[in-house]
Amino acid sequence: MLSKRNPDAPALAASSFIVLPQERVELTPAQRVAYRQVTTALQIGPLAVISGEAGSGKRTVLAQLARDLGARLIGADELQRHLMVRDENTRDIATFEYLERAVVANEVTCLWWDDTHLEIGALSNHMQPEIHGVLVKSLFRTLQRAGHKLIVAGPPKKSYAPSMLHTGYAIGEEIPSFAAEDYRVALTNMIGETRVGNIDCDAMFRHAPLLNMHDLKVIARALLMAERDGDRIGTASVLRVIDAVVREGNVNLKEVEDVTFDLLPGAEHIRDALEKLVVRPIELASSMPGGVKPKRGVLLYGPPGTGKTSIGRALANRMGGRFFLIDGSMLTEPPGAFFEKFLTVVHDAMREGPSVLFIDDADVLFEIVHISGLTRYLLTLLDGLESESSRNVCVVLTAMDPRKVPEAILRSGRIELWLEARRPMAETRARMIQRWLHGAMPREHDVDLPKLGELTSGFIAADLRRIVMDAQCLYGMDLHRRAVPQAAQHYLERAIVTLKQARNRMAEVLGKPEMRIP
């Protein structure tokens, strides 16, 4: 039966950017692995699975199998149409009944189960596991009696319920991650061999090693659009497209300051630790496989305003990677939506390495009751950072009070590099003020930096930036009033006094003496 061919089977539907839609789509090497495993599995048992992450090409492999085996191809849309008229409480049973009729009617049935909204083994939350197990076994027995085969393409194996994995059938392995040759084959299917001949796919893979089929389709469309505008397709244009439309973080880097450690006076001890224990080990990993491992998790702790977020951005800059931010803004959503957004950011950070996954105010997040599952999820995430797909990801947590971070997260192998963002000393405060002076006020070269450093005792980095901005505003007001401009030192000292007074009044009103600036 497995040698059966159907020459009249329809070809794969081609997107508008496919150059040669009439030709058979060639499977990539990773997809061919899954194809061979499934055909082998069908020799052993009546049911086989093509599993893999979204964008790995499961649907393409399934369609190829359907053509080669002369099988009926059932998509999730067909199931959805059939089940729309069913009562919610009977949809699960109706689904299995529909599949049983299909496998009886066809020697081979190929089922595409869309893993974005339906999953084998998780059809509905209300179904009791024992009932689900009975339905799976019934479907399996139907296949055995009919002597027919069923191939299912769906989500990764971990998404399948135990009742499906312990019925005695052979299950295919997941589609492997793509390599450079997969990029070449996939792009050839989409834009043609001639164009791909101008692309160094090895360089493309080194630049972005975790692209999936969805990403490659976006790249192909962008390349063809650029070609119509006169841009020649080649390696350089591919790398530009990847950076422009694929490798984006959840923070628009054009809207945040381009921070480097040179612009962060007082953070030298943090810079040195990150360079020695994170950045350099990542750079050496390829030349010393297994010999050097970077610290995957970092805790930055200290008072608010001490530059912890800027340090995270500077680290991403130093790694030549992306900055992905998780913060309290996600808490405006219900728990389910929070975790959905959280998982999306984590997945993107792992795909777009090198990257910094920055979780701001983690000590506050851990104390929020309705996202209590965050601790357990982070433990799983941190324990998996040794995997190939996350080797260039550094997770950075910030906390004002590190005592509120669960101890299990702070053990070795997880968040094991703890760095304190300190209140700056007088000399550092002077350098910070100097950093923010940009020639916007008169006689800035005459500013007495040591004196300003002493006057700002108790100030944090955010305060120091503010007094420079406030001083510039005071200078601007004098210009508006046509008053005689004063030296920059005058405006800076006025701004320091004003900020101290405002902060101390607030401390008195709120009853928080720790907010006072002496």
Side-chain angles (χ1 to χ4, degrees):
M1 179 188 68
L2 295 181
S3 62
K4 181 177 180 180
R5 298 289 186 272
N6 183 356
D8 298 324
L12 281 173
S15 299
S16 58
F17 61 83
I18 301 296
V19 173
L20 304 172
Q22 73 279 10
E23 294 187 1
R24 193 181 190 86
V25 172
E26 180 184 356
L27 297 182
T28 73
Q31 292 168 343
R32 288 198 295 269
V33 168
Y35 181 99
R36 289 193 298 268
Q37 289 169 337
V38 168
T39 54
T40 300
L42 289 179
Q43 302 287 350
I44 300 171
L47 200 158
V49 172
I50 306 168
S51 58
E53 298 291 344
S56 57
K58 302 182 295 291
R59 191 196 305 252
T60 302
V61 177
L62 189 71
Q64 186 89 341
L65 284 162
R67 285 196 300 267
D68 291 347
L69 302 176
R72 179 187 175 188
L73 182 60
I74 300 177
D77 53 346
E78 179 178 339
L79 283 178
Q80 287 283 65
R81 288 194 300 269
H82 173 72
L83 299 175
M84 282 178 62
V85 297
R86 300 283 181 164
D87 180 79
E88 181 178 350
N89 295 320
T90 63
R91 285 179 181 173
D92 302 286
I93 296 175
T95 299
F96 280 94
E97 290 176 345
Y98 187 78
L99 292 178
E100 285 189 337
R101 290 195 296 272
V103 299
V104 168
N106 299 279
E107 191 175 357
V108 184
T109 303
C110 292
L111 172 65
W112 166 248
W113 209 288
D114 190 346
D115 50 5
T116 60
H117 61 280
L118 289 175
E119 292 183 358
I120 287 281
L123 290 174
S124 64
N125 295 327
H126 64 266
M127 178 173 280
Q128 296 180 8
E130 57 270 22
I131 298 177
H132 186 274
V134 169
L135 294 175
V136 170
K137 291 177 181 178
S138 174
L139 175 62
F140 184 71
R141 285 194 296 268
T142 299
L143 283 167
Q144 288 181 313
R145 285 195 299 268
H148 291 177
K149 307 286 184 177
L150 174 63
I151 307 171
V152 178
K157 286 194 295 183
K158 61 180 177 291
S159 301
Y160 290 79
S163 56
M164 288 209 67
L165 298 182
H166 295 93
T167 52
Y169 63 80
I171 181 168
E173 293 296 325
E174 294 184 10
I175 295 179
S177 298
F178 285 178
E181 182 62 14
D182 294 280
Y183 288 10
R184 187 194 67 77
V185 173
L187 286 177
T188 299
N189 289 331
M190 298 171 191
I191 63 175
E193 186 173 357
T194 301
R195 293 184 178 93
V196 175
N198 298 323
I199 299 172
D200 183 346
C201 290
D202 289 323
M204 181 182 174
F205 179 74
R206 288 193 298 270
H207 187 71
L210 296 175
L211 299 179
N212 60 30
M213 196 63 70
H214 300 320
D215 299 327
L216 293 170
K217 288 179 180 178
V218 171
I219 292 168
R221 290 191 184 100
L223 288 173
L224 292 179
M225 289 178 61
E227 185 183 54
R228 287 196 292 268
D229 293 336
D231 190 7
R232 177 179 177 273
I233 291 180
T235 304
S237 60
V238 168
L239 301 187
R240 286 197 301 270
V241 167
I242 290 173
D243 287 337
V245 301
V246 177
R247 300 182 67 211
E248 287 294 338
N250 69 324
V251 172
N252 187 344
L253 297 183
K254 296 179 181 178
E255 296 179 359
V256 299
E257 185 180 13
D258 187 12
V259 182
T260 63
F261 282 112
D262 293 339
L263 300 177
L264 298 177
E268 290 82 2
H269 65 295
I270 295 177
R271 176 202 62 197
D272 293 344
L274 292 174
E275 182 75 19
K276 179 173 63 176
L277 298 173
V278 177
V279 177
R280 294 300 293 165
I282 288 178
E283 294 176 342
L284 294 172
S286 58
S287 59
M288 299 177 61
V292 57
K293 292 184 178 181
K295 302 298 183 187
R296 301 301 190 187
V298 178
L299 174 67
L300 294 177
Y301 65 95
T306 48
K308 297 186 289 294
T309 304
S310 294
I311 290 169
R313 288 184 176 134
L315 175 60
N317 189 310
R318 176 64 185 87
M319 292 168 62
R322 302 280 173 177
F323 181 84
F324 291 84
L325 177 65
I326 293 172
D327 62 8
S329 65
M330 294 185 179
L331 296 177
T332 59
E333 305 285 351
F338 168 83
F339 279 105
E340 181 179 354
K341 289 186 176 181
F342 192 103
L343 292 171
T344 297
V345 174
V346 170
H347 176 74
D348 289 345
M350 289 185 171
R351 285 182 51 226
E352 306 300 344
S355 63
V356 170
L357 177 59
F358 193 88
I359 305 176
D360 203 15
D361 293 329
D363 51 338
V364 176
L365 295 179
F366 286 127
E367 291 195 323
I368 297 175
V369 175
H370 74 278
I371 57 170
S372 58
L374 179 60
T375 300
R376 174 50 53 191
Y377 175 73
L378 272 180
L379 290 174
T380 303
L381 167 65
L382 293 167
D383 287 342
L385 285 181
E386 295 299 319
S387 67
E388 184 74 10
S389 63
S390 56
R391 63 190 184 279
N392 291 337
V393 178
C394 181
V395 178
V396 179
L397 271 61
T398 74
M400 291 176 286
D401 186 352
R403 295 171 298 181
K404 295 180 180 178
V405 179
E407 292 184 15
I409 286 178
L410 297 179
R411 73 161 177 79
S412 296
R414 292 171 179 166
I415 303 295
E416 55 182 343
L417 182 57
W418 313 325
L419 302 172
E420 181 181 7
R422 305 165 185 158
R423 291 182 181 273
M425 304 297 289
E427 184 270 337
T428 301
R429 294 195 296 271
R431 287 194 289 135
M432 288 181 174
I433 293 172
Q434 185 178 34
R435 178 206 164 185
W436 295 116
L437 291 172
H438 299 300
M441 292 181 290
R443 295 169 57 188
E444 284 188 1
H445 61 280
D446 291 335
V447 165
D448 188 345
L449 289 171
K451 181 180 179 181
L452 293 175
E454 295 297 333
L455 290 174
T456 52
S457 176
F459 281 42
I460 57 177
D463 295 331
L464 297 167
R465 183 175 187 176
R466 174 180 169 177
I467 63 169
V468 174
M469 296 174 65
D470 288 354
Q472 292 171 345
C473 289
L474 292 171
Y475 169 59
M477 287 299 298
D478 276 356
L479 291 179
H480 179 70
R481 294 168 181 165
R482 301 183 183 276
V484 178
Q486 302 292 315
Q489 183 83 17
H490 167 79
Y491 296 114
L492 288 167
E493 290 185 10
R494 281 179 59 190
I496 291 170
V497 171
T498 301
L499 179 57
K500 281 186 177 182
Q501 291 174 344
R503 181 68 58 78
N504 293 340
R505 282 198 301 271
M506 183 178 291
E508 183 178 350
V509 171
L510 298 178
K512 294 185 176 182
E514 67 274 11
M515 292 181 60
R516 289 184 57 84
I517 299 178

